[in-house]
Amino acid sequence: MRAPTGVEALRVRWWGDVRAGGRVLTGDHVLEVPLDPLDPDDHDRIAVYAREVRAPDLLEEDLPYLLFLQGGPGGRAPRPGADASGWLDWALRRYRVILLDQRGTGLSTPQDRHTLAGLAPDAAADRLAHFRADAIVSDAEALRRHLLRDQPWTVLGQSFGGFCVWTYLSFSPHGLRAAYVTGGIPPVGAHLDDVYRATRRAVDRRTAELDEDHPETRGVFADVARHLLDGAAERLPTGERLTVGRLQEVGHVLGAAGGPDLLARLAEDAWALPGRQLSDTFLADVTAQVSYAGAPLYAVLHEACCGDLGVVTGWSSDRVRAADGPPREPVDGRLPLTGENVYRDSVRADPALVPLADAADLLAQRHWDRPLYDRDRLAANTVPVVACVYERDMFVDPQLSRATAQATGCVTVVSDEDHHHDGLRRDGAEILGRLEQALAGATPDAVARARSEPGGGEA
C-alpha cells in the first residue's frame, strides 16, 4: 500500500470473510500532530490514526483517494469487513478510501474520563477546545500532504462530517478536488437556539409517526415515568439512576428509519413486575441508547461544534427546552420524547461524563475566538460539492441546510424524500449514485447556472 509520496502503510491486514463478502485490504497510517493546529511548535502532541481501505481486485489500479469524515462529533470512523456499510463497497469500486478516526476518537489519542483524569476543569476545557472541525480539517490536511503531497482529494462527509466539509471549504479548499455530503450541510450563521427549535418541530413530526404506527408505546413510557416520579430507584447497568429526563432521550432513535419500531420493542420489554419493577432487558436497552460511554466527545462538544467566532452556546438545549418544552413528565397519558440534544443534567448524571461535567460547563460558557467558517470564501467557493438533503431529517434541518447551500458557491443539492438521517448507512450505494451523477455536471459554470434557475440548484 504505497502512497503517491512513497509512504508505506504501517500495518497491512485483511478484513472480512471471502465467502460472506466484504473482503478488503487495509493499511494503517498514524501521524503525530500538535494539539493546537495554529501552533506547530506546540509540545503537546497527539496521534491521528487513519485506515486506508482497498478492494482486493483493484489493488493494481491507480485509483484516486476519498477521505471519509464521520458523523458525530466524537464518533470514530466505521470499521471495514463483512459488516461494513454498503456505501463502502460503492466507494471502493472508485477510490482508495481513507477512514479517519477524528482526533480524540477511536485510535486517535482518545479523550475521555480516563485520559483527561488529573486535569483541572479549566485545563480540560482548554484542551477539548482543540477537538472541533477546524482542528479536524487541519489533521486531514496533514494526512493529505503525508500521502499525496500537493494533490487534492475527494471527501465524503456524513452528518457532522458535512459540517467539517464546510470548514474545509472555508480554510483549505486547495486540498479538495470535490466533496460529497449526506445529511450534513451546517446551519452557517443560524443561532443555535433556532437550530434546536427547528429540530424540535422535526421530533414532533416523527413522534406523531410513532404514535400512528405504535399508539401504545408512549403510554408505556408514561407508566414508566410515573413509576420513576413516584420515587422508584431504578438503576441502569452503568449505576446511573434512571430519571424521566434520561428516559425521554431514547427519542433520538426516531432520527433513524427503524426508530419507531425500535421504541415499540423497547416498550414491550419494559416491566419485570408490571408497575413495580422494570426489567433488566429494558434497563440494558435504555442504557444502550442514552449512555455516552462510547462517544464522550459527542456530549461534551455537541454544542461547542456550533460555536462559531464570537458565539457563546450557553447550554442552548436547556435554554430552548425551558422556554418551549417538552416537560419532564407525561402529557395526556403519553411521555414526550427528546431528540438530538445534550442537556446539562445528563452530562452530570452519566458516569462516563461526570468527571468532565465541570469542563463541559466551561465550554458552554466559552466565548469562541476561532471561526469555524469563512462566509466570504464560501460564497466564492469553486470546489464542486454535491449534497443530499433529507427532507425528513430529524437532526439537520432541511431549510437551514438550503440556506447555507444557497450562500455557498458551486453547491448542488440533491433532495431526498425517502430516507432519514441514516440514509447513507442504509442505502448508501443508491444515494451516492445519485450524487455521483450530479457531480458529473457540477462544474462551477454549470452550478452557477443551476442555482439561478427555478429549484435553486436541486437535482
Side-chain angles (χ1 to χ4, degrees), residues 65-236:
Y65 279 74
L66 175 75
L67 172 70
F68 179 69
L69 294 171
Q70 170 69 24
R76 71 176 189 177
R79 277 18 190 179
D83 296 326
S85 297
W87 73 261
L88 184 58
D89 290 338
W90 179 94
L92 289 175
R93 307 315 302 171
R94 296 156 175 81
Y95 298 97
R96 298 170 69 157
V97 176
I98 301 294
L99 301 176
L100 172 67
D101 279 355
Q102 297 169 17
R103 57 168 48 201
T105 74
L107 300 179
S108 293
T109 309
Q111 304 296 300
D112 55 32
R113 64 189 174 102
H114 302 296
T115 61
L116 296 172
L119 287 182
D122 57 345
D126 287 343
R127 183 177 183 84
L128 290 170
H130 296 301
F131 287 80
R132 304 193 307 155
D134 54 338
I136 293 168
V137 168
S138 178
D139 295 342
E141 276 295 274
L143 180 62
R144 182 185 65 84
R145 292 190 297 270
H146 178 71
L147 297 174
L148 299 174
R149 200 170 285 114
D150 295 329
Q151 299 178 41
W153 56 13
T154 298
V155 294
L156 166 58
Q158 157 64 16
S159 189
F160 171 70
F163 290 28
C164 293
V165 169
W166 252 257
T167 302
Y168 219 139
L169 296 171
S170 294
F171 303 114
S172 299
H174 55 274
L176 299 180
R177 184 182 306 280
Y180 298 97
V181 173
T182 55
I185 302 180
V188 176
H191 194 286
L192 190 53
D193 289 10
D194 293 330
V195 173
Y196 284 136
R197 290 189 181 100
T199 56
R200 179 68 231 170
R201 292 190 290 270
V203 173
D204 291 341
R205 291 192 298 270
R206 193 69 169 130
T207 300
E209 294 176 7
L210 166 67
D211 291 343
E212 183 177 353
D213 289 346
H214 305 287
E216 73 290 343
T217 294
R218 288 202 299 132
V220 174
F221 289 154
D223 292 340
V224 173
R226 285 188 284 268
H227 172 66
L228 300 174
L229 291 170
D230 287 343
E234 300 279 3
R235 293 197 175 273
L236 302 176

Side-chain angles (χ1 to χ4, degrees), residues 237-257:
T238 59
E240 176 185 352
R241 182 167 178 169
L242 180 60
T243 64
V244 174
R246 290 289 271 156
L247 175 62
Q248 289 174 301
E249 291 175 31
V250 300
H252 79 89
V253 306
L254 292 173

Side-chain angles (χ1 to χ4, degrees), residues 354-411:
V354 169
L356 306 178
D358 290 340
D361 276 341
L362 292 173
L363 289 170
Q365 299 160 15
R366 196 179 192 94
H367 189 281
W368 292 99
D369 60 0
R370 294 186 183 181
L372 294 175
Y373 310 108
D374 182 327
R375 296 187 206 179
D376 290 338
R377 184 171 280 182
L378 288 173
N381 175 60
T382 59
V383 176
V385 180
V386 286
C388 181
V389 170
Y390 302 122
E391 303 302 333
R392 304 173 69 190
D393 203 322
M394 200 178 84
F395 300 149
V396 179
D397 182 70
Q399 287 184 300
L400 294 175
S401 293
R402 281 195 175 78
T404 296
Q406 284 291 315
T408 306
C410 213
V411 175

Side-chain angles (χ1 to χ4, degrees), residues 9 12 169 261 326 332 353 392:
V12 176
L169 296 171
D261 290 346
D332 297 330
L353 300 179
R392 304 173 69 190

Side-chain angles (χ1 to χ4, degrees), residues 2-48:
R2 182 186 296 272
T5 56
V7 169
E8 295 278 3
L10 299 179
R11 180 171 58 164
V12 176
R13 289 186 286 177
W14 288 99
W15 296 85
D17 188 300
V18 174
R19 287 178 289 276
R23 184 74 162 170
V24 295
L25 184 68
T26 69
D28 297 348
H29 300 283
V30 179
L31 293 182
E32 187 181 81
V33 298
L35 175 67
D36 184 349
L38 297 186
D39 183 6
D41 297 323
D42 187 355
H43 294 299
D44 195 344
R45 317 288 285 185
I46 60 174
V48 171

